[in-house]
Amino acid sequence: MPKSILSLSAIALALFLTTANAVEADQLKSQGQKLRTEIDETYKNLKAKNALKTSPQGSDISAILLKYISVGSTFDNAEAILKAAGFKIDARPGPHPPGNRPDKNDVGARIDPYETAFMQKVSVWVSLAPKTPGDYSSIAKISGAIFVDMP
C-alpha cells in the first residue's frame, strides 16, 4: 500500500478518535451539569421540609449519584462528571495509604462549602471506592451525602 494511503488512513483515524473523545467529554460534562441540578433540587426540597441531617450521617444522595455514575464506570469518567458538577476531587491514595479505616483507598470529592448561612455550613461529599485497593480502573461503590455542620 502506498505511503500516501497509509497517511490518509492514519489522519482519518486520528480525526475519528479526536471527535469521539470530544463527544465523550461533552457527554460527561452534560451528565455533571444534570447531576448538579439534581443535587441542587434535592437540597432545596430537604431544606424546605427542614429534613437536612447534620454530621456525621448527613442526608444520603447515593441514589442520585448512581443515576449519573454507575458502578463499573471508570474513575476518570466519574471524576470528570463530578468536576463538571462543581466537585473538588481529592488525589487518589498511594499504593499503601496509612491507617486502618476501611475507606482508606477511596477517592473523595466535595463541594465545601456548598452553602453557608448564619451559624451553619452545608457541604456535599462523595466517596468513590475502587474494586481492589490501589486499582483505580473502575468504581466498585459510590456513596455521598449532604452535610450540615453547626459550630
Side-chain angles (χ1 to χ4, degrees):
M1 194 178 286
K3 282 186 178 182
S4 60
I5 292 176
L6 287 175
S7 296
L8 289 174
S9 296
I11 291 170
L13 178 60
L15 286 173
F16 172 77
L17 293 175
T18 301
T19 303
N21 288 340
V23 168
E24 182 180 34
D26 287 345
Q27 290 171 341
L28 296 173
K29 183 177 179 183
S30 175
Q31 284 180 277
Q33 292 167 340
K34 289 175 185 175
L35 171 60
R36 178 58 180 258
T37 298
E38 193 159 349
I39 289 171
D40 291 345
E41 289 171 0
T42 300
Y43 172 72
K44 288 175 189 170
N45 290 336
L46 290 169
K47 185 177 178 181
K49 295 176 186 175
N50 204 22
L52 287 165
K53 297 178 183 172
T54 58
S55 294
Q57 189 177 13
S59 301
D60 187 21
I61 60 166
S62 300
I64 294 167
L65 295 166
L66 284 166
K67 290 180 185 179
Y68 301 94
I69 304 170
S70 60
V71 170
S73 296
T74 67
F75 266 82
D76 290 341
N77 285 353
E79 290 171 348
I81 291 167
L82 291 171
K83 283 179 186 174
F87 285 84
K88 180 181 180 213
I89 313 297
D90 295 337
R92 295 176 185 176
H96 303 290
N100 294 322
R101 292 187 2 234
D103 64 348
K104 70 181 183 178
N105 290 290
D106 292 4
V107 174
R110 65 189 177 287
I111 303 173
D112 184 33
Y114 175 77
E115 182 177 276
T116 56
F118 181 71
M119 298 297 289
Q120 79 175 21
K121 178 180 84 165
V122 179
S123 304
V124 183
W125 290 80
V126 172
S127 179
L128 304 172
K131 57 185 174 182
T132 59
D135 178 1
Y136 296 102
S137 58
S138 65
I139 295 169
K141 180 181 176 186
I142 183 168
S143 58
I146 299 172
F147 293 95
V148 177
D149 290 313
M150 297 182 193

